[in-house]
Amino acid sequence: MLNRRQTLAGLSAAAVTGFGTRAEAQEVTKIGLILPMTGQSASTGRQIEAAAKLYIAQKGATVAGRRIELLVRDDTGAADITRRIAQELIVNEKVAVLAGFGLTPLAFAAAPLATQSKTPMVVMAAATSAITEQSPFIVRTSFTLPQATQPIADWASQNGIKKVISLVTDYAPGIDAERAFKERFTKAGGELLAELRVPLRNPDFAPFLQRVADAKPDALFVFVPSGIGGQFVKQFIERGLDKAGVRLIGTGDVTDDDLLNDMGDAILGVVTSHHYSAAHPSPENKAFVQAFRAANPNMRPNFMAIGGYDGMHLIYEALKKAGGAADGTALLGAMQGMSWVSPRGPVTIEARTRDITQNIYVRRVEKVDGQLYNVEFATFEAVPDPIKGR
Amino acid sequence: MLTILFDGIAYGMLLFVLACGLAVTLGLMNFVNLAHGAFAMAGGYVTVVLMQRYGVPFLACLPLAFLAAAALGAVAERLLYRHMYGRSHLDQVLFSIGLVFMAVAAADYVMGSSPQNVRLPSYLLGRYEVFGIGIGVYRLFLIGVCGALTIALQLILARTRFGSRLRAAVDDPRVARGMGIDVNAIFAVTFAFGSGLAGLGGALGAEILGLDPTFPLKFMLYFLIVVTVGGTSSMTGPFVAALLLGFADVAGKYYIPQAGAFIIYAVMIAVLMLRPNGLFARGVTR
């Protein structure tokens, strides 16, 4: 009895002292995660935050002897707020890395601050090609729209689709997608009958879809922000375009995993190309999806979540490689050229462009165990951002 | 061409149902209620929740959406709006825009920010070809419901005892009170009814317009344009205005997609230059 008490006392004393010394010695490395957590793009923020927290929970909060502290800030999707928060995080919190950035203008707003303060800025969502050119300190773990678009253009021209109309939302990523598709598709001998641009705040697709119905193309290429995909597909079906033999193709934003299941069976059979699907059949992804769902019931990881998860991986590995106390330039150097196997497949951060090279998959919406998923059936391997990758 | 006309009419009808509640409160009660869209959103969410969680059929959801929004409107009127009737329009604008932001945040908190999908029953889906005109079943349904509603509204306002009391209460509350009309009660009922109409519009519109917490802000402009162009004398004004704008918007986007979103504003400016008080202006100025 006495014996046991002594051991217990000894153990707890050891634990207390051990803990105490370690806590003193352990310095903090802060990561500032700026995301739209409210407002129209809140789903992006929620997915990335969940994935980043999952990564820290899995890999532990200590890297290279330093404790990682994640500071999540809500920029509500407004560029001026992003800029202000980035400034606060750099000056007051002295963060080692800025991360997040849900939309193109938000990443643009913070870019000059990353350059001035020499702070690496990991873009986990925004997908306009030009983003990485805004600062030599920007690294991207999401994707670029031209990168995701070219494979579907290739797939279309290889599968007997000759005449296409493109319909994109009229803002930078939409125009990126339109250009990338047009260039690739017409080079392969296809014909683009019309390029329709839909206003960002557009209540009704009827007139645009009627033009498509009148022109009778083989396929309609579409890019709309992920939240609008379901509404768009419904109106496409309502107009009877699927029965008229017009195929619906696009980038994976239209069939976002986060919303796919609510869109109903109307969306079955839509073919898209993208870098991530929750149904990607690799052991890494199965483990990722399972852990993500266990930590966040009722949520399915989408392409935003994978950008956040890989972004955290990049930061962790760079801290290990450069040593915990590394400055911004050393961290950035460690990130450039890094390769690993992500749940989405093999990825590389190109040293020259600081953009991500990855597999792009062609997928079809199918029903798996009563749930809708993007099931991959063709792979374009190691696709760089086609605009900067040349 | 005729398909475009049909789509335009359906879209215009939808605009009308969404905006006619505002025509009632702004037009008849002379109260600038920018929070109108919040009641429409409430109707939309009631429909989504009833359909998805409790399996209530779509057609049964419509009256329930009306009642829920009307009840919400009645409570808001008793607690909040009543104190604002006598205030200046600027006060009313500030007050109601504040309500909009609160509604947006509340919807975001309760329902999440993701867009909601209404799943229509199969008999409202699909499309017919009649003499080369493509007719979407749901759009036809919209035209039917909205047409019936317009006639009913016009009859209530012009022919019923309640309608004449309301008009009296609006034009001169003091005299109306002197005549033994319970102005407070009439305003409360009218406001609740206007909110209910908004809720119905939200329920009907969720399919075509989409539904997320920013709904009241996104469509505020459209409601206001309809009421401004229509004038505030009767239901006919906003009705004609909604049809005109709906058709102009759809046709504009079809024929000149480059100018797409701008057409509706151009029409508004043109109408207001010719008739500054709207298409059907009230004879007496107050």
Side-chain angles (χ1 to χ4, degrees), chain A residues 54-63 309 313 316:
Chain A
L54 173 68
Y55 190 88
I56 294 177
Q58 284 179 337
K59 304 291 156 101
T62 310
V63 181
Y309 192 76
H313 182 81
Y316 263 53

Side-chain angles (χ1 to χ4, degrees), chain B residues 30-279:
Chain B
N30 197 24
F31 187 93
V32 186
N33 180 22
L34 295 185
H36 184 71
F39 295 103
M41 176 174 71
Y45 274 117
V46 165
T47 309
V48 167
V49 169
L50 286 177
M51 280 182 79
Q52 289 180 355
R53 302 220 180 126
Y54 302 101
V56 181
F58 179 71
L59 290 185
C61 286
L62 295 179
L64 291 174
F66 176 89
L67 288 177
L72 198 65
V75 172
E77 200 272 344
R78 283 287 91 179
L79 293 177
L80 304 166
Y81 279 88
R82 200 156 49 107
H83 311 291
M84 303 300 294
Y85 285 149
R87 307 286 280 275
S88 72
H89 280 172
L90 180 63
D91 286 349
Q92 295 174 350
V93 164
L94 291 175
F95 164 75
S96 54
I97 196 87
L99 279 188
V100 171
F101 285 114
M102 286 168 67
V104 169
D108 196 287
Y109 182 76
V110 178
M111 296 298 298
S113 62
S114 307
Q116 303 287 334
N117 277 296
V118 176
R119 285 188 201 157
L120 290 182
S122 53
Y123 55 83
L124 285 176
L125 295 173
R127 189 173 175 80
Y128 298 112
E129 287 278 335
V130 183
F131 306 119
I133 313 171
I135 294 182
V137 177
Y138 188 64
R139 283 174 204 255
L140 190 64
F141 171 75
L142 277 182
I143 293 180
V145 171
C146 303
L149 202 65
T150 316
I151 295 167
L153 271 178
Q154 188 59 30
L155 287 180
I156 291 173
L157 283 175
R159 298 283 169 81
T160 64
R161 197 176 179 81
F162 179 81
S164 48
R165 283 182 167 187
L166 173 62
R167 282 175 287 140
V170 169
D171 281 342
D172 201 331
R174 274 183 65 198
V175 173
R177 253 183 222 112
M179 302 288 288
I181 296 174
D182 188 346
V183 173
N184 275 342
I186 285 200
F187 273 15
V189 170
T190 309
F191 190 87
F193 190 70
S195 307
L197 287 175
L200 179 63
L204 287 169
E207 163 75 8
I208 288 182
L209 304 176
L211 181 67
D212 66 70
T214 58
F215 186 91
L217 287 170
K218 247 199 266 185
F219 295 104
M220 184 196 295
L221 213 56
Y222 288 90
F223 309 147
L224 289 174
I225 292 177
V226 168
V227 178
T228 318
V229 171
T232 51
S233 62
S234 64
M235 281 293 123
T236 337
F239 180 69
V240 173
L243 285 186
L244 177 70
L245 291 166
F247 177 65
D249 196 38
V250 169
K253 282 175 177 164
Y254 181 80
Y255 290 109
I256 12 175
Q258 300 82 1
F262 184 69
I263 304 285
I264 196 163
Y265 304 110
V267 172
M268 177 185 78
I269 291 166
V271 170
L272 291 183
M273 278 170 75
L274 294 172
R275 301 189 66 90
N277 290 324
L279 286 171

Side-chain angles (χ1 to χ4, degrees), chain A residues 168-180:
Chain A
V168 302
T169 297
D170 194 1
Y171 73 139
I175 291 160
D176 256 18
E178 179 192 280
R179 285 205 191 115

